[in-house]
Amino acid sequence: MTPDDKKRNAAEAAIDYVKPGSTIGVGTGSTVNYFIDLLADKMAGKITAAVSSSEASSERLRGHGIAVIDLNEAGGLDLYVDGADESNHQLQLIKGGGGALTREKIVAAASAVFVCIADDSKLVETLGTFPLPVEVIPMARGLVSGALQALGGEPRLREGFTTDNGNQILDVHGLRINDPVDMETRINQITGVVCVGLFAHRPADVLILGTEDGISSIQT
Ligand code: 5RP
């Protein structure tokens, strides 16, 4: 089973959570791309619309003829499906490898159920091996870097990348995140931070992993 097979299998299992007639939240990344393609294939004409976490996913959804609406128009959502860069066993996540963390966190916050889909390499004991993405207002980059260093991290600017919100990303290496809720709170308090890609206050509700044998899932 290749990593892509595992991603596709996890994405396929998430289709079972989609209710006909609903408006759903859709995340970003290669695993979610499988989900979008399967959604178009298996639920054609059955969902009302999607709220998307990135321009890239919006384009893919529209390409399949799925309506994309603004979150303000949709109000609350029943379901959000998205990938992750790392998950621990409490379903606290590192996200933002694709740079869409801020909109992802907004859509996750607006959703009753967050189903995370990934291949099984993403499940870890302790978060932090994957560099933690932090979206920053460009003029505050130096200020935020200093504060992140004080927390024990080694921030590196994601070169040549601008977020959909016109900001920059610092990828923070070398963190061993033993208390994700505390770390998220501390980084949120740094002036100039738009969003940190740590989803600990609002973890996933269900994690579907593609494995060698098919899929396995963890529920909180
Ligand atoms: C984008 C994300 C993605 O969900 C995360 O990077 C996982 O991506 P992939 O499914 O390609 O492994 O957070 O900002």
Side-chain angles (χ1 to χ4, degrees), residues 3 5-6 25 45 59 65 67 71 76 81 84-85 91 98 118-119 122 141 146 171 178 184 212:
D5 291 333
K6 292 179 180 179
E59 198 178 312
L71 180 62
V81 178
D85 299 300
L91 310 195
D119 69 86
K122 306 287 183 73
R141 193 177 60 230
D171 290 305
N178 291 313
E184 185 179 4
E212 280 305 322

Side-chain angles (χ1 to χ4, degrees), residues 7 28-32 82-85 95-101 104 122:
K7 289 178 185 189
T28 301
S30 56
T31 316
V32 165
D82 198 0
D85 299 300
K95 292 186 45 53
L101 59 154
E104 290 174 342
K122 306 287 183 73

Side-chain angles (χ1 to χ4, degrees), residues 41-209:
D41 189 31
K42 294 179 182 284
M43 300 291 289
K46 291 193 191 142
I47 66 160
T48 304
V51 171
S52 162
S53 73
S54 65
E55 300 300 332
S57 289
S58 296
E59 198 178 312
R60 197 174 188 100
L61 286 157
R62 289 195 181 107
H64 282 300
I66 298 170
V68 178
I69 62 170
D70 189 271
L71 180 62
N72 294 304
E73 201 186 317
L77 300 167
D78 292 340
L79 175 68
Y80 179 48
V81 178
D82 198 0
D85 299 300
E86 280 185 354
S87 173
N88 65 16
H89 291 264
Q90 289 71 46
L91 310 195
Q92 296 165 319
L93 312 172
I94 287 184
K95 292 186 45 53
L101 59 154
T102 300
R103 295 188 189 188
E104 290 174 342
K105 201 174 262 193
I106 293 168
V107 183
S111 301
V113 176
F114 176 4
V115 174
C116 182
I117 52 178
D119 69 86
D120 56 0
S121 69
K122 306 287 183 73
L123 185 63
V124 298
E125 292 302 319
T126 306
L127 299 173
T129 302
F130 190 92
L132 178 65
V134 179
E135 181 165 347
V136 295
I137 300 286
M139 72 170 287
R141 193 177 60 230
L143 186 70
V144 173
S145 286
L148 291 169
Q149 278 164 0
L151 290 176
E154 188 200 317
R156 294 186 205 155
L157 178 65
R158 197 177 293 185
E159 295 286 349
F161 186 85
T162 304
T163 70
D164 286 345
N165 313 307
N167 298 313
Q168 291 177 312
I169 292 200
L170 294 170
D171 290 305
V172 189
H173 295 247
L175 289 175
R176 192 175 161 76
I177 306 172
N178 291 313
D179 186 342
V181 169
D182 180 62
M183 182 64 81
E184 185 179 4
T185 302
R186 284 171 189 267
I187 296 177
N188 277 340
Q189 282 169 351
I190 301 170
T191 302
V193 166
V194 176
C195 185
V196 55
L198 197 49
F199 287 52
H201 283 281
R202 201 286 179 242
D205 301 299
V206 180
L207 174 64
I208 304 175
L209 294 171

